Amino acid sequence: MILARYAGTRLMLGLVQVAGVLIVVFLVASVLPGDAAVVIASDDADPARIAQLRDTLGLNRPLVVQLGDWLSGLLRGDLGMSSISGRPVTEMLSAALAPTLTLAVLALVVLIPLALLLGVAAAVGRGGRIDRAISGLTVALYAAPEFALAVVLVAVFAVGLGLFAPTAIGSSGPLLTQPELWLLPVVVLAIRPVCSLSRLVRSSMITTLDSEYIRHTLRLGVPPRRVVWRHALPGSLTPAVQHLARVADWLLGGVIVVEAVFALGGLGQVLVSAVSSRDLPLLMGLVALFALITVTVNTLADIIAFRLNPTAGERL
């Protein structure tokens, strides 16, 4: 009952957060100079034509009415039509979502086991050569921004050694079936999260290994390896799970940067196009998608962390 009540509270809070983000972004985007009518009429910037386009696109209506219509459509699952292309926003997002999700999921599949392995190895060998080597490497790699790592990897492994394609220009077909296109982007996306997550696992594991519970387990004769993986690690995962939610948020922004460097068609390209063309329906569709993913991931992480923490019920 406590877990269900906590999950319900987090879900309601998440919905309020999504609504707040949508309203703020809509108002900010609406007051920016220029609009879709100006972009469409750029070759013929006649005031009468711009006014006609604004009337056709519904941009001359009060902001409250525009926002109300868009939110009512959102509740029905209708994100509207792109002001520039005239295509359904849902269709455009669906087409661009596949490569973005592919990169994000592949990065998570790589970074989670690697971060756990490095964090546990550093914690078990704390103060030793392995710990110092892992700590030094993770700190150094974490300081490098994604675009710089991407440029270096492309220069060395794609241009220099010719092992991978430098960009996805001219390619076709699902991204997942072309490892020469996604391997370098996934490495770029996974490096920094691996560094931060492994450091957090190391810190939490050291605290757990020093606890009286673990000492008593060892005194009972339980093999050290079993103690580490079956007893110490599960008790150290609560902060890691919550941090993993922040990593998932970061991946959304990181994917946009990586998509631009490697010319991968995805939500990053759609976002740049929506902002530059003042395509408000498309921009709002992207914001709704990002907000929903972010809130969902963080809510699930909080619920899992609540479940893993044996003293969580005392706070309610």
Side-chain angles (χ1 to χ4, degrees), residues 1 23 45 83 122 127 142 187 208 248 308:
M1 291 298 296
I23 293 173
S83 299
Y142 188 80
V187 170
T208 305
L308 289 174

Side-chain angles (χ1 to χ4, degrees), residues 153-164 166:
L153 290 179
V154 168
V156 174
F157 295 100
V159 178
L161 300 178
L163 299 177
F164 306 99

Side-chain angles (χ1 to χ4, degrees), residues 153-185:
L153 290 179
V154 168
V156 174
F157 295 100
V159 178
L161 300 178
L163 299 177
F164 306 99
T167 66
I169 295 177
S171 63
S172 59
L175 180 63
L176 187 61
T177 61
Q178 304 176 77
E180 69 278 3
L181 296 180
W182 58 255
L183 201 148
L184 288 183

Side-chain angles (χ1 to χ4, degrees), residues 4-18 292 295-296 299-300 302-303:
R5 185 174 62 180
Y6 178 79
T9 302
R10 288 294 294 117
L11 181 60
M12 293 301 299
L13 179 60
L15 293 177
V16 172
Q17 290 173 331
V18 171
L292 183 61
V295 169
T296 300
T299 300
L300 290 175
D302 287 346
I303 294 173

